[in-house]
Short mmCIF file of all heavy atoms in Angstrom, two decimals:
data_model
loop_
_atom_site.label_atom_id
_atom_site.label_comp_id
_atom_site.label_asym_id
_atom_site.label_seq_id
_atom_site.Cartn_x
_atom_site.Cartn_y
_atom_site.Cartn_z
N TYR A 1 133.15 -110.90 63.41
CA TYR A 1 132.33 -111.73 64.28
C TYR A 1 130.99 -111.95 63.63
O TYR A 1 130.61 -111.23 62.69
CB TYR A 1 132.22 -111.10 65.69
CG TYR A 1 131.51 -109.76 65.74
CD1 TYR A 1 130.15 -109.69 65.91
CD2 TYR A 1 132.25 -108.57 65.66
CE1 TYR A 1 129.53 -108.45 65.97
CE2 TYR A 1 131.63 -107.35 65.74
CZ TYR A 1 130.25 -107.28 65.89
OH TYR A 1 129.62 -106.08 65.96
N THR A 2 130.26 -112.96 64.11
CA THR A 2 128.91 -113.22 63.62
C THR A 2 127.94 -113.16 64.80
O THR A 2 128.33 -113.37 65.95
CB THR A 2 128.79 -114.62 62.97
OG1 THR A 2 129.13 -115.61 63.94
CG2 THR A 2 129.71 -114.75 61.76
N VAL A 3 126.68 -112.89 64.49
CA VAL A 3 125.65 -112.85 65.52
C VAL A 3 124.51 -113.75 65.07
O VAL A 3 124.02 -113.65 63.93
CB VAL A 3 125.12 -111.40 65.74
CG1 VAL A 3 124.05 -111.41 66.83
CG2 VAL A 3 126.23 -110.44 66.06
N THR A 4 124.10 -114.68 65.94
CA THR A 4 122.94 -115.53 65.67
C THR A 4 121.97 -115.46 66.84
O THR A 4 122.36 -115.00 67.94
CB THR A 4 123.38 -116.98 65.46
OG1 THR A 4 124.14 -117.42 66.60
CG2 THR A 4 124.23 -117.17 64.21
N GLU A 5 120.77 -115.88 66.61
CA GLU A 5 119.75 -115.90 67.67
C GLU A 5 119.62 -117.28 68.26
O GLU A 5 119.78 -118.28 67.56
CB GLU A 5 118.41 -115.45 67.14
CG GLU A 5 118.36 -113.97 66.77
CD GLU A 5 116.98 -113.52 66.36
OE1 GLU A 5 116.03 -114.33 66.30
OE2 GLU A 5 116.83 -112.33 66.08
N ALA A 6 119.35 -117.34 69.57
CA ALA A 6 119.12 -118.59 70.28
C ALA A 6 118.06 -118.35 71.35
O ALA A 6 117.76 -117.22 71.71
CB ALA A 6 120.41 -119.09 70.92
N ASN A 7 117.45 -119.40 71.84
CA ASN A 7 116.51 -119.28 72.95
C ASN A 7 117.31 -119.32 74.25
O ASN A 7 118.16 -120.19 74.43
CB ASN A 7 115.47 -120.42 72.94
CG ASN A 7 114.59 -120.33 71.72
OD1 ASN A 7 114.19 -119.25 71.32
ND2 ASN A 7 114.26 -121.46 71.16
N GLY A 8 117.05 -118.37 75.11
CA GLY A 8 117.79 -118.28 76.37
C GLY A 8 116.86 -118.02 77.54
O GLY A 8 115.66 -117.74 77.35
N GLY A 9 117.39 -118.09 78.72
CA GLY A 9 116.58 -117.82 79.89
C GLY A 9 117.41 -117.81 81.17
O GLY A 9 118.56 -118.22 81.14
N TRP A 10 116.81 -117.35 82.22
CA TRP A 10 117.48 -117.30 83.52
C TRP A 10 116.45 -117.31 84.60
O TRP A 10 115.29 -117.04 84.39
CB TRP A 10 118.40 -116.10 83.62
CG TRP A 10 117.66 -114.78 83.74
CD1 TRP A 10 117.30 -114.15 84.90
CD2 TRP A 10 117.18 -113.97 82.70
NE1 TRP A 10 116.64 -113.02 84.62
CE2 TRP A 10 116.53 -112.88 83.27
CE3 TRP A 10 117.19 -114.06 81.33
CZ2 TRP A 10 115.92 -111.88 82.49
CZ3 TRP A 10 116.61 -113.08 80.56
CH2 TRP A 10 115.98 -111.99 81.16
N ILE A 11 116.90 -117.62 85.83
CA ILE A 11 116.04 -117.62 87.01
C ILE A 11 116.36 -116.34 87.77
O ILE A 11 117.54 -116.11 88.11
CB ILE A 11 116.30 -118.84 87.90
CG1 ILE A 11 116.17 -120.17 87.15
CG2 ILE A 11 115.43 -118.80 89.15
CD1 ILE A 11 114.76 -120.49 86.73
N ASP A 12 115.35 -115.52 88.04
CA ASP A 12 115.60 -114.25 88.75
C ASP A 12 115.66 -114.47 90.25
O ASP A 12 115.53 -115.60 90.74
CB ASP A 12 114.57 -113.19 88.31
CG ASP A 12 113.16 -113.49 88.80
OD1 ASP A 12 112.97 -114.37 89.70
OD2 ASP A 12 112.22 -112.86 88.30
N GLU A 13 115.81 -113.37 90.97
CA GLU A 13 115.95 -113.42 92.45
C GLU A 13 114.74 -114.05 93.12
O GLU A 13 114.86 -114.62 94.22
CB GLU A 13 116.19 -112.02 93.03
CG GLU A 13 117.40 -111.30 92.49
CD GLU A 13 117.12 -110.62 91.16
OE1 GLU A 13 115.97 -110.35 90.84
OE2 GLU A 13 118.11 -110.42 90.42
N ALA A 14 113.57 -113.92 92.53
CA ALA A 14 112.34 -114.49 93.11
C ALA A 14 112.10 -115.94 92.67
O ALA A 14 111.12 -116.55 93.07
CB ALA A 14 111.12 -113.64 92.68
N GLY A 15 113.02 -116.48 91.89
CA GLY A 15 112.90 -117.86 91.43
C GLY A 15 112.04 -118.03 90.19
O GLY A 15 111.72 -119.15 89.80
N ALA A 16 111.68 -116.93 89.54
CA ALA A 16 110.86 -116.98 88.34
C ALA A 16 111.73 -117.15 87.11
O ALA A 16 112.79 -116.52 86.98
CB ALA A 16 110.01 -115.71 88.18
N LEU A 17 111.30 -118.05 86.20
CA LEU A 17 112.04 -118.27 84.98
C LEU A 17 111.64 -117.19 83.96
O LEU A 17 110.47 -116.93 83.72
CB LEU A 17 111.71 -119.62 84.38
CG LEU A 17 112.26 -119.92 83.00
CD1 LEU A 17 113.79 -119.93 83.02
CD2 LEU A 17 111.73 -121.26 82.46
N THR A 18 112.61 -116.52 83.41
CA THR A 18 112.38 -115.58 82.33
C THR A 18 113.05 -116.13 81.07
O THR A 18 114.23 -116.47 81.10
CB THR A 18 113.00 -114.19 82.67
OG1 THR A 18 112.40 -113.72 83.87
CG2 THR A 18 112.80 -113.21 81.55
N GLU A 19 112.29 -116.23 80.01
CA GLU A 19 112.83 -116.71 78.73
C GLU A 19 112.76 -115.63 77.68
O GLU A 19 111.84 -114.80 77.70
CB GLU A 19 112.01 -117.93 78.25
CG GLU A 19 112.14 -119.12 79.18
CD GLU A 19 111.38 -120.31 78.67
OE1 GLU A 19 110.19 -120.40 78.97
OE2 GLU A 19 111.99 -121.13 77.95
N GLU A 20 113.74 -115.62 76.81
CA GLU A 20 113.78 -114.61 75.76
C GLU A 20 114.69 -115.06 74.63
O GLU A 20 115.43 -116.04 74.80
CB GLU A 20 114.26 -113.26 76.29
CG GLU A 20 115.70 -113.28 76.74
CD GLU A 20 116.19 -111.92 77.25
OE1 GLU A 20 115.38 -111.00 77.39
OE2 GLU A 20 117.38 -111.80 77.51
N VAL A 21 114.63 -114.38 73.52
CA VAL A 21 115.57 -114.64 72.45
C VAL A 21 116.91 -114.03 72.85
O VAL A 21 116.98 -112.91 73.33
CB VAL A 21 115.08 -113.99 71.13
CG1 VAL A 21 116.13 -114.12 70.04
CG2 VAL A 21 113.78 -114.65 70.69
N SER A 22 117.95 -114.83 72.76
CA SER A 22 119.30 -114.37 73.10
C SER A 22 120.12 -114.18 71.84
O SER A 22 119.89 -114.86 70.83
CB SER A 22 119.98 -115.40 74.00
OG SER A 22 119.31 -115.54 75.23
N LEU A 23 121.06 -113.30 71.91
CA LEU A 23 122.00 -113.12 70.81
C LEU A 23 123.32 -113.82 71.16
O LEU A 23 123.82 -113.68 72.26
CB LEU A 23 122.26 -111.65 70.54
CG LEU A 23 121.04 -110.82 70.16
CD1 LEU A 23 121.41 -109.37 70.01
CD2 LEU A 23 120.42 -111.36 68.85
N VAL A 24 123.84 -114.59 70.19
CA VAL A 24 125.09 -115.28 70.38
C VAL A 24 126.12 -114.66 69.46
O VAL A 24 125.94 -114.69 68.24
CB VAL A 24 124.95 -116.79 70.09
CG1 VAL A 24 126.27 -117.51 70.23
CG2 VAL A 24 123.88 -117.41 70.95
N TYR A 25 127.12 -114.05 70.03
CA TYR A 25 128.22 -113.46 69.24
C TYR A 25 129.33 -114.49 69.17
O TYR A 25 129.81 -114.97 70.22
CB TYR A 25 128.74 -112.20 69.93
CG TYR A 25 127.82 -111.01 69.81
CD1 TYR A 25 126.60 -110.98 70.48
CD2 TYR A 25 128.16 -109.92 69.02
CE1 TYR A 25 125.77 -109.87 70.40
CE2 TYR A 25 127.32 -108.83 68.94
CZ TYR A 25 126.13 -108.81 69.61
OH TYR A 25 125.30 -107.73 69.51
N THR A 26 129.78 -114.82 67.96
CA THR A 26 130.90 -115.70 67.79
C THR A 26 132.08 -114.87 67.27
O THR A 26 131.98 -114.27 66.20
CB THR A 26 130.58 -116.81 66.80
OG1 THR A 26 129.41 -117.53 67.25
CG2 THR A 26 131.76 -117.79 66.64
N ILE A 27 133.11 -114.84 68.09
CA ILE A 27 134.27 -114.01 67.75
C ILE A 27 135.49 -114.92 67.67
O ILE A 27 135.78 -115.65 68.60
CB ILE A 27 134.50 -112.92 68.84
CG1 ILE A 27 133.23 -112.10 69.00
CG2 ILE A 27 135.69 -112.08 68.49
CD1 ILE A 27 133.25 -111.20 70.25
N THR A 28 136.17 -114.89 66.56
CA THR A 28 137.34 -115.75 66.38
C THR A 28 138.59 -114.91 66.03
O THR A 28 138.48 -113.83 65.47
CB THR A 28 137.13 -116.77 65.24
OG1 THR A 28 136.81 -116.09 64.03
CG2 THR A 28 135.98 -117.74 65.58
N ASN A 29 139.71 -115.43 66.44
CA ASN A 29 141.00 -114.82 66.16
C ASN A 29 141.07 -113.34 66.57
O ASN A 29 141.55 -112.49 65.80
CB ASN A 29 141.37 -114.95 64.67
CG ASN A 29 141.49 -116.39 64.26
OD1 ASN A 29 142.05 -117.20 65.00
ND2 ASN A 29 140.99 -116.74 63.09
N ALA A 30 140.56 -113.04 67.75
CA ALA A 30 140.53 -111.66 68.22
C ALA A 30 141.42 -111.52 69.47
O ALA A 30 141.55 -112.44 70.25
CB ALA A 30 139.12 -111.22 68.53
N GLU A 31 141.97 -110.34 69.60
CA GLU A 31 142.72 -110.04 70.80
C GLU A 31 141.72 -109.80 71.95
O GLU A 31 140.59 -109.35 71.72
CB GLU A 31 143.57 -108.79 70.58
CG GLU A 31 144.63 -108.94 69.53
CD GLU A 31 145.71 -109.94 69.91
OE1 GLU A 31 146.00 -110.02 71.12
OE2 GLU A 31 146.23 -110.62 68.99
N GLU A 32 142.17 -110.07 73.19
CA GLU A 32 141.30 -109.90 74.35
C GLU A 32 140.74 -108.48 74.43
O GLU A 32 139.56 -108.28 74.73
CB GLU A 32 142.06 -110.25 75.63
CG GLU A 32 141.24 -110.13 76.90
CD GLU A 32 140.10 -111.16 77.01
OE1 GLU A 32 140.09 -112.17 76.29
OE2 GLU A 32 139.21 -110.93 77.85
N ALA A 33 141.55 -107.48 74.17
CA ALA A 33 141.10 -106.07 74.23
C ALA A 33 139.99 -105.83 73.23
O ALA A 33 139.04 -105.06 73.53
CB ALA A 33 142.26 -105.12 73.98
N ASP A 34 140.03 -106.45 72.07
CA ASP A 34 139.00 -106.28 71.07
C ASP A 34 137.68 -106.91 71.52
O ASP A 34 136.60 -106.36 71.33
CB ASP A 34 139.42 -106.86 69.74
CG ASP A 34 140.61 -106.14 69.12
OD1 ASP A 34 140.72 -104.90 69.35
OD2 ASP A 34 141.41 -106.79 68.44
N VAL A 35 137.79 -108.09 72.17
CA VAL A 35 136.60 -108.76 72.70
C VAL A 35 135.95 -107.92 73.78
O VAL A 35 134.74 -107.73 73.81
CB VAL A 35 136.94 -110.21 73.22
CG1 VAL A 35 135.74 -110.83 73.87
CG2 VAL A 35 137.47 -111.05 72.07
N VAL A 36 136.77 -107.38 74.66
CA VAL A 36 136.25 -106.52 75.72
C VAL A 36 135.55 -105.30 75.16
O VAL A 36 134.48 -104.88 75.61
CB VAL A 36 137.37 -106.14 76.72
CG1 VAL A 36 136.92 -105.05 77.69
CG2 VAL A 36 137.86 -107.35 77.48
N SER A 37 136.13 -104.73 74.14
CA SER A 37 135.53 -103.54 73.49
C SER A 37 134.17 -103.89 72.89
O SER A 37 133.19 -103.13 73.05
CB SER A 37 136.46 -103.03 72.40
OG SER A 37 135.88 -101.94 71.74
N ILE A 38 134.07 -105.05 72.21
CA ILE A 38 132.79 -105.46 71.67
C ILE A 38 131.76 -105.68 72.78
O ILE A 38 130.63 -105.25 72.68
CB ILE A 38 132.96 -106.75 70.81
CG1 ILE A 38 133.76 -106.42 69.56
CG2 ILE A 38 131.60 -107.35 70.47
CD1 ILE A 38 134.25 -107.65 68.81
N MET A 39 132.17 -106.35 73.87
CA MET A 39 131.27 -106.60 74.97
C MET A 39 130.77 -105.29 75.59
O MET A 39 129.59 -105.17 75.94
CB MET A 39 131.91 -107.50 76.02
CG MET A 39 132.12 -108.91 75.54
SD MET A 39 132.71 -110.05 76.84
CE MET A 39 134.26 -109.32 77.30
N ASP A 40 131.65 -104.32 75.75
CA ASP A 40 131.25 -103.03 76.30
C ASP A 40 130.20 -102.36 75.41
O ASP A 40 129.22 -101.81 75.91
CB ASP A 40 132.46 -102.10 76.47
CG ASP A 40 133.34 -102.48 77.64
OD1 ASP A 40 132.84 -103.17 78.55
OD2 ASP A 40 134.51 -102.09 77.63
N GLU A 41 130.39 -102.42 74.11
CA GLU A 41 129.42 -101.86 73.17
C GLU A 41 128.07 -102.57 73.26
O GLU A 41 127.01 -101.94 73.25
CB GLU A 41 129.96 -101.94 71.73
CG GLU A 41 131.09 -100.97 71.45
CD GLU A 41 131.58 -101.09 70.03
OE1 GLU A 41 130.79 -101.48 69.16
OE2 GLU A 41 132.77 -100.79 69.80
N VAL A 42 128.13 -103.91 73.36
CA VAL A 42 126.87 -104.69 73.42
C VAL A 42 126.13 -104.42 74.72
O VAL A 42 124.91 -104.28 74.71
CB VAL A 42 127.20 -106.21 73.26
CG1 VAL A 42 126.00 -107.06 73.59
CG2 VAL A 42 127.70 -106.48 71.86
N LEU A 43 126.82 -104.34 75.83
CA LEU A 43 126.18 -104.04 77.11
C LEU A 43 125.39 -102.75 77.00
O LEU A 43 124.21 -102.67 77.42
CB LEU A 43 127.21 -103.90 78.23
CG LEU A 43 127.76 -105.17 78.85
CD1 LEU A 43 128.93 -104.85 79.75
CD2 LEU A 43 126.70 -105.95 79.57
N THR A 44 125.98 -101.72 76.43
CA THR A 44 125.32 -100.42 76.30
C THR A 44 124.19 -100.50 75.26
O THR A 44 123.06 -100.07 75.54
CB THR A 44 126.34 -99.37 75.88
OG1 THR A 44 127.36 -99.28 76.89
CG2 THR A 44 125.70 -98.00 75.75
N ALA A 45 124.49 -101.04 74.08
CA ALA A 45 123.49 -101.04 72.99
C ALA A 45 122.26 -101.83 73.35
O ALA A 45 121.14 -101.44 72.96
CB ALA A 45 124.12 -101.58 71.73
N LEU A 46 122.41 -102.93 74.10
CA LEU A 46 121.29 -103.80 74.40
C LEU A 46 120.74 -103.58 75.83
O LEU A 46 119.87 -104.30 76.27
CB LEU A 46 121.66 -105.27 74.20
CG LEU A 46 122.08 -105.66 72.78
CD1 LEU A 46 122.45 -107.12 72.72
CD2 LEU A 46 120.98 -105.31 71.79
N ASN A 47 121.31 -102.60 76.53
CA ASN A 47 120.87 -102.25 77.90
C ASN A 47 120.88 -103.48 78.80
O ASN A 47 119.90 -103.82 79.45
CB ASN A 47 119.47 -101.61 77.87
CG ASN A 47 119.12 -101.00 79.19
OD1 ASN A 47 119.98 -100.54 79.95
ND2 ASN A 47 117.83 -100.99 79.52
N GLN A 48 122.04 -104.16 78.85
CA GLN A 48 122.19 -105.36 79.64
C GLN A 48 123.04 -105.12 80.87
O GLN A 48 123.89 -104.25 80.87
CB GLN A 48 122.87 -106.47 78.82
CG GLN A 48 122.07 -106.90 77.61
CD GLN A 48 120.80 -107.56 78.00
OE1 GLN A 48 120.77 -108.59 78.65
NE2 GLN A 48 119.67 -106.99 77.60
N ASN A 49 122.79 -105.88 81.92
CA ASN A 49 123.58 -105.82 83.14
C ASN A 49 124.84 -106.66 83.02
O ASN A 49 125.87 -106.35 83.63
CB ASN A 49 122.77 -106.29 84.35
CG ASN A 49 121.66 -105.35 84.67
OD1 ASN A 49 121.77 -104.15 84.51
ND2 ASN A 49 120.55 -105.91 85.15
N SER A 50 124.73 -107.75 82.28
CA SER A 50 125.87 -108.65 82.14
C SER A 50 125.73 -109.46 80.86
O SER A 50 124.68 -109.51 80.25
CB SER A 50 125.95 -109.59 83.36
OG SER A 50 124.80 -110.41 83.42
N ILE A 51 126.85 -110.11 80.52
CA ILE A 51 126.92 -110.96 79.34
C ILE A 51 127.59 -112.26 79.75
O ILE A 51 128.61 -112.24 80.48
CB ILE A 51 127.77 -110.30 78.25
CG1 ILE A 51 127.13 -109.03 77.77
CG2 ILE A 51 127.98 -111.25 77.07
CD1 ILE A 51 128.01 -108.21 76.79
N LEU A 52 127.07 -113.40 79.33
CA LEU A 52 127.72 -114.67 79.55
C LEU A 52 128.82 -114.82 78.51
O LEU A 52 128.56 -114.69 77.30
CB LEU A 52 126.72 -115.84 79.43
CG LEU A 52 127.32 -117.25 79.48
CD1 LEU A 52 127.97 -117.49 80.83
CD2 LEU A 52 126.28 -118.30 79.19
N VAL A 53 130.04 -115.08 78.95
CA VAL A 53 131.18 -115.22 78.03
C VAL A 53 131.71 -116.64 78.16
O VAL A 53 131.98 -117.14 79.25
CB VAL A 53 132.31 -114.25 78.39
CG1 VAL A 53 133.49 -114.43 77.46
CG2 VAL A 53 131.79 -112.80 78.32
N GLU A 54 131.84 -117.30 77.02
CA GLU A 54 132.44 -118.65 76.98
C GLU A 54 133.66 -118.56 76.05
O GLU A 54 133.57 -118.07 74.95
CB GLU A 54 131.44 -119.66 76.39
CG GLU A 54 132.02 -121.04 76.27
CD GLU A 54 131.03 -122.02 75.65
OE1 GLU A 54 129.80 -121.88 75.88
OE2 GLU A 54 131.47 -122.93 74.93
N ARG A 55 134.77 -119.05 76.56
CA ARG A 55 136.02 -119.04 75.79
C ARG A 55 136.39 -120.48 75.50
O ARG A 55 136.32 -121.35 76.34
CB ARG A 55 137.14 -118.36 76.53
CG ARG A 55 136.93 -116.88 76.67
CD ARG A 55 138.12 -116.25 77.41
NE ARG A 55 138.06 -114.81 77.39
CZ ARG A 55 137.40 -114.06 78.25
NH1 ARG A 55 136.70 -114.63 79.20
NH2 ARG A 55 137.41 -112.76 78.16
N GLN A 56 136.84 -120.71 74.26
CA GLN A 56 137.28 -122.04 73.87
C GLN A 56 138.56 -121.93 73.05
O GLN A 56 138.67 -121.03 72.20
CB GLN A 56 136.22 -122.73 72.99
CG GLN A 56 134.94 -123.03 73.68
CD GLN A 56 133.97 -123.76 72.75
OE1 GLN A 56 134.30 -124.12 71.64
NE2 GLN A 56 132.75 -123.94 73.25
N GLU A 57 139.47 -122.81 73.33
CA GLU A 57 140.67 -122.93 72.49
C GLU A 57 140.31 -123.92 71.39
O GLU A 57 139.84 -125.04 71.64
CB GLU A 57 141.85 -123.45 73.30
CG GLU A 57 142.36 -122.49 74.32
CD GLU A 57 143.02 -121.27 73.71
OE1 GLU A 57 143.66 -121.41 72.66
OE2 GLU A 57 142.87 -120.19 74.27
N ILE A 58 140.51 -123.54 70.17
CA ILE A 58 140.18 -124.39 69.03
C ILE A 58 141.43 -124.63 68.21
O ILE A 58 142.20 -123.69 67.94
CB ILE A 58 139.09 -123.72 68.14
CG1 ILE A 58 137.82 -123.47 68.96
CG2 ILE A 58 138.77 -124.55 66.92
CD1 ILE A 58 136.76 -122.70 68.24
N SER A 59 141.62 -125.85 67.84
CA SER A 59 142.75 -126.17 66.94
C SER A 59 142.24 -126.95 65.75
O SER A 59 141.19 -127.59 65.81
CB SER A 59 143.83 -126.94 67.69
OG SER A 59 143.30 -128.21 68.10
N TYR A 60 142.97 -126.88 64.66
CA TYR A 60 142.59 -127.57 63.45
C TYR A 60 143.75 -128.41 62.98
O TYR A 60 144.90 -128.04 63.16
CB TYR A 60 142.24 -126.56 62.33
CG TYR A 60 141.07 -125.69 62.68
CD1 TYR A 60 141.23 -124.46 63.28
CD2 TYR A 60 139.77 -126.12 62.42
CE1 TYR A 60 140.16 -123.67 63.62
CE2 TYR A 60 138.69 -125.33 62.75
CZ TYR A 60 138.88 -124.11 63.34
OH TYR A 60 137.82 -123.32 63.67
N THR A 61 143.43 -129.52 62.36
CA THR A 61 144.45 -130.37 61.76
C THR A 61 143.83 -131.10 60.57
O THR A 61 142.64 -131.27 60.50
CB THR A 61 145.00 -131.37 62.79
OG1 THR A 61 146.09 -132.07 62.22
CG2 THR A 61 143.94 -132.36 63.23
N TYR A 62 144.68 -131.47 59.64
CA TYR A 62 144.22 -132.28 58.51
C TYR A 62 144.52 -133.73 58.79
O TYR A 62 145.61 -134.06 59.25
CB TYR A 62 144.95 -131.83 57.23
CG TYR A 62 144.53 -130.49 56.73
CD1 TYR A 62 145.29 -129.36 57.02
CD2 TYR A 62 143.36 -130.37 55.98
CE1 TYR A 62 144.87 -128.10 56.58
CE2 TYR A 62 142.96 -129.12 55.51
CZ TYR A 62 143.72 -128.01 55.82
OH TYR A 62 143.32 -126.77 55.38
N TYR A 63 143.56 -134.57 58.52
CA TYR A 63 143.71 -136.01 58.70
C TYR A 63 143.54 -136.69 57.37
O TYR A 63 142.53 -136.42 56.67
CB TYR A 63 142.71 -136.54 59.71
CG TYR A 63 142.78 -138.02 59.91
CD1 TYR A 63 143.79 -138.60 60.65
CD2 TYR A 63 141.84 -138.86 59.32
CE1 TYR A 63 143.88 -139.96 60.82
CE2 TYR A 63 141.91 -140.24 59.51
CZ TYR A 63 142.91 -140.78 60.24
OH TYR A 63 143.00 -142.14 60.42
N SER A 64 144.45 -137.54 57.01
CA SER A 64 144.40 -138.22 55.68
C SER A 64 144.34 -139.72 55.81
O SER A 64 144.66 -140.43 54.88
CB SER A 64 145.63 -137.82 54.87
OG SER A 64 145.64 -136.43 54.65
N GLY A 65 143.93 -140.22 56.93
CA GLY A 65 143.84 -141.67 57.10
C GLY A 65 145.05 -142.22 57.86
O GLY A 65 145.90 -141.49 58.33
N ASN A 66 145.10 -143.57 57.97
CA ASN A 66 146.16 -144.24 58.70
C ASN A 66 147.48 -144.06 58.09
O ASN A 66 148.04 -144.15 57.18
CB ASN A 66 145.83 -145.75 58.90
CG ASN A 66 144.62 -145.87 59.75
OD1 ASN A 66 144.35 -145.02 60.61
ND2 ASN A 66 143.83 -146.94 59.56
#
């Protein structure tokens, strides 16, 4: 997997915007159990309550013209 930084933020219970540097983990070709294991480690290591998870199905093909 790779880790990159991004600008992130959220609105708390009082309606205040909190902004911070976010870490984006990109995980490819992994089993679900492996992803869950990584997320569990990240929750603990970064002292987080939750993690936003986005899943995408990606396919590749070669195109050589008409």
Side-chain angles (χ1 to χ4, degrees):
Y1 63 90
T2 60
V3 181
T4 55
E5 290 186 358
N7 294 321
W10 70 92
I11 305 291
D12 68 15
E13 301 83 21
L17 173 63
T18 300
E19 295 181 272
E20 67 180 7
V21 173
S22 296
L23 298 177
V24 178
Y25 286 69
T26 303
I27 304 168
T28 57
N29 298 320
E31 297 294 327
E32 181 68 16
D34 296 328
V35 174
V36 169
S37 178
I38 292 168
M39 291 188 299
D40 285 339
E41 289 180 26
V42 169
L43 281 171
T44 301
L46 300 179
N47 192 29
Q48 297 295 299
N49 293 326
S50 62
I51 297 172
L52 173 63
V53 178
E54 178 182 328
R55 290 182 171 85
Q56 295 181 6
E57 292 291 325
I58 300 173
S59 64
Y60 298 93
T61 187
Y62 289 98
Y63 177 77
S64 299
N66 294 331

